[in-house]
């Protein structure tokens, strides 16, 4: 597994001032606590910019999704929308994730979130600091404001905010297509994207089932069939 791709820093850079300007418009909105409460300490909250029902509190990222629509939050965020329009793939989740000062996300892995699965996750840091410790498969990643990173979440990862300000990322999940193949394979050969062995704990499975039941959408119910 030495040569497998765990992360990619793409040659993309987004305007940090415009990112923060859009964030300022919605920072005081209602943020939803992450549903997987056993996986973190402190405050880890999210707000959806796109979701199946158009509501900003539907933050769950499902590998099986109906077509997403903008939430009421996205309407005022012209730069976020510009970024999403420039990324030419179908989105399965578009959220802001905020890790408060002193909060920690415990080591965990997310099934079916590597490029080799046909889906992937991008991180665009909006606010971060040098004391954020993001560990992926035992190595620390330093993701700076305005950069664009792919993280293979099939590998074990954790994050701790030891700084003095909240860490907020724009996090986008999407489906692989010809456009993304060109983007990814400029950075690494296709044979470096191979799924590592992964397993879901019974507690993670229980929490996922509970959240899917709460969502009660056709896509969520379809995914439930594979878990129960």
């Amino acid at each position: 597994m030495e040569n497998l791709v765990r992360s990619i820093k793409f040659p993309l850079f987004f305007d940090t001032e415009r990112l923060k300007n859009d964030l300022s418009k919605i920072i005081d909105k209602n943020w939803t606590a992450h549903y997987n409460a056993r996986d973190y300490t402190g405050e880890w909250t999210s707000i959806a910019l796109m979701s199946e029902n158009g509501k900003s509190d539907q933050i769950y990222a499902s590998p099986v999704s109906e077509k997403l629509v903008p939430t009421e939050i996205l309407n005022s965020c012209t730069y976020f929308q510009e970024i999403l329009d420039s990324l030419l793939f179908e989105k399965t989740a578009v959220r802001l994730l905020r890790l408060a000062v002193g909060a920690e996300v415990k080591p965990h892995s997310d099934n079916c979130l590597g490029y080799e699965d046909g889906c992937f996750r991008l991180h665009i840091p909006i606010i971060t600091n040098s004391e954020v410790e993001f560990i992926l498969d035992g190595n620390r990643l330093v993701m700076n404001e305005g950069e664009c990173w792919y993280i293979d979440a099939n590998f074990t990862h954790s994050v701790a905010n030891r700084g003095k300000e909240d860490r907020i990322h724009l996090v986008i999940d999407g489906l692989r297509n010809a456009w993304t193949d060109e983007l990814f394979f400029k950075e690494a050969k296709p044979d470096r994207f191979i799924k590592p062995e992964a397993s879901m704990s019974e507690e993670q499975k229980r929490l996922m089932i509970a959240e899917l039941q709460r969502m009660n959408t056709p896509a969520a119910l379809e995914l439930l069939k594979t878990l129960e």
Side-chain angles (χ1 to χ4, degrees), residues 16 41 44 48 54 56 136 139 148 157 159 174 181 188:
T16 56
T41 58
W44 187 26
S56 60
L136 177 65
N139 295 306
C148 182
H157 54 286
V159 58
D181 277 355

Side-chain angles (χ1 to χ4, degrees), residues 127-174:
I127 297 177
T128 190
N129 63 77
S130 61
E131 300 303 311
V132 169
E133 294 182 359
F134 189 102
I135 307 298
L136 177 65
D137 197 34
N139 295 306
R140 183 179 181 184
L141 293 186
V142 177
M143 294 182 279
N144 297 308
E145 294 174 358
E147 295 176 346
C148 182
W149 286 76
Y150 158 69
I151 304 299
D152 189 335
N154 287 328
F155 289 96
T156 300
H157 54 286
S158 63
V159 58
N161 185 1
R162 309 189 193 284
K164 297 181 179 179
E165 59 183 340
D166 293 350
R167 172 241 202 201
I168 301 177
H169 283 196
L170 171 57
V171 181
I172 305 165
D173 292 0

